[in-house]
Amino acid sequence: MAKELLPGQRRFTPASVASDVALLVWFVFSLFPIVWMVLLALKSDAEQTSTYFSFTPTLENFGTVLSQRGTDLTSVDFTSSLLTSLINCGGAVIVSLVIGIPAAYAAGRWQYKGSNDLMFQMLSFRFAPELMVIVPLFVIYNQIGLFDTKVGMIWVLQLVTMPLVVWILRSYFQDLPEDLEQAALLDGYTRSRAFVMVALPLVRPGIAAAALLAFIFAWNNYVFPLILSDSNASTVTVAITKYLGGGGQAYYNLTAAAAVIAALPPLILALTIQRYLVRGLSFGAVKS
């Protein structure tokens, strides 16, 4: 008879050990590109093509990327591109939240014939390949003067983030009991005040989760900044690739250092709102 296990204990069997080993191998395999990128960012120019783990670490690459010396080597102003990305992505997220939160509330509270079709049509904007619409957008942006402007980039990036915000927050509003708002209306609140004072505070975890995911989607976007911007509105995703061919030489170590720096803003944002994030991603966000 098998011995009864205490809480927190587990029985080791060949199958469980094999599954743990397989999980560990997959974990190492998944994280290895990130580890290799960090190691490459710490290598000098002479060691950047070496595949050995034994090398002399240096932080010079990060200084080069963040200083004007990076401009002298590869014609890349990475610091300016980093600031531009923060402005573009932050602006796109703000626009998406300002428009998307009321839209999600309306979609979650009022159902009518064709409402689900309308929501699916909004989500279909995320399905369409960006290359399908980039040519008409390029022509329109040139004609109305939005090419290589921060306003133009904010406007096109919110097309990426808006459907995500609406779909996530719609599930939150659907999960909220309508009795809470009805009670507020009986107390003399208007519908808009009930929305602001009652419904909105209860979906703060969802807003945090939607804002973070929207920021990541906008931050990682490459096609729109590549085609619709030049020097004034170029983002980090475009600036990083320029280290691979600047001056006729590929600076792999500078590329890795720039990628590490570019990964920090979403990470810092996630750590800042982590108390809302876990609840936001686990409650309502996956409901269809």
Side-chain angles (χ1 to χ4, degrees):
M1 181 176 179
K3 182 181 178 181
E4 185 176 353
L5 297 178
L6 297 176
Q9 289 184 330
R10 55 176 299 186
R11 183 173 289 109
F12 290 97
T13 63
S16 65
V17 173
S19 63
D20 290 342
V21 172
L23 183 62
L24 179 62
V25 171
W26 178 254
F27 180 76
V28 173
F29 175 78
S30 301
L31 289 184
F32 182 76
I34 300 177
V35 175
W36 187 260
M37 180 180 67
V38 174
L39 293 177
L40 184 57
L42 298 175
K43 291 184 176 182
S44 62
D45 293 343
E47 297 173 316
Q48 64 175 330
T49 56
S50 171
T51 58
Y52 300 105
F53 286 94
S54 59
F55 62 93
T56 303
T58 177
L59 297 177
E60 183 179 357
N61 297 322
F62 295 95
T64 301
V65 168
L66 294 175
S67 68
Q68 293 301 318
R69 288 189 298 160
T71 304
D72 297 336
L73 287 173
T74 59
S75 300
V76 181
D77 191 349
F78 184 80
T79 305
S80 177
S81 298
L82 186 64
L83 179 60
T84 301
S85 286
L86 291 173
I87 296 174
N88 292 346
C89 299
V93 171
I94 291 174
V95 171
S96 297
L97 291 177
V98 170
I99 301 177
I101 291 176
Y105 177 75
R109 279 289 179 259
W110 292 284
Q111 298 293 323
Y112 53 90
K113 185 178 180 180
S115 61
N116 291 329
D117 295 334
L118 178 62
M119 291 298 298
F120 181 80
Q121 183 179 8
M122 177 179 293
L123 187 62
S124 66
F125 293 147
R126 293 292 305 127
F127 299 157
E130 295 170 352
L131 293 176
M132 180 182 297
V133 298
I134 196 63
V135 173
L137 280 176
F138 179 79
V139 174
I140 293 173
Y141 267 47
N142 273 289
Q143 290 180 345
I144 63 178
L146 288 179
F147 178 78
D148 196 27
T149 63
K150 293 181 177 63
V151 174
M153 288 308 307
I154 290 174
W155 185 251
V156 75
L157 289 177
Q158 64 86 26
L159 298 178
V160 177
T161 59
M162 180 78 72
L164 184 68
V165 169
V166 174
W167 265 87
I168 291 178
L169 294 181
R170 178 200 183 204
S171 299
Y172 277 85
F173 289 117
Q174 286 177 333
D175 288 341
L176 286 181
E178 293 189 35
D179 296 342
L180 298 175
E181 295 159 73
Q182 293 297 331
L185 294 177
L186 290 176
D187 287 340
Y189 282 34
T190 62
R191 170 63 72 172
S192 58
R193 190 181 179 191
F195 164 68
V196 174
M197 302 298 294
V198 178
L200 204 57
L202 294 176
V203 299
R204 284 185 299 178
I207 294 175
L212 176 62
L213 293 177
F215 184 85
I216 292 175
F217 270 77
W219 187 267
N220 292 335
N221 192 274
Y222 177 71
V223 175
F224 287 145
L226 178 66
I227 304 300
L228 300 179
S229 66
D230 190 5
S231 58
N232 294 326
S234 180
T235 60
V236 289
T237 52
V238 178
I240 289 173
T241 59
K242 294 181 180 180
Y243 289 111
L244 294 175
Q249 179 181 350
Y251 297 94
Y252 300 110
N253 52 348
L254 297 182
T255 305
V260 171
I261 296 173
L264 292 179
L267 179 61
I268 294 173
L269 180 61
L271 293 176
T272 303
I273 63 175
Q274 63 178 339
R275 63 172 179 165
Y276 299 110
L277 188 58
V278 175
R279 182 183 173 194
L281 292 176
S282 60
F283 174 71
V286 296
K287 182 178 177 181
S288 59

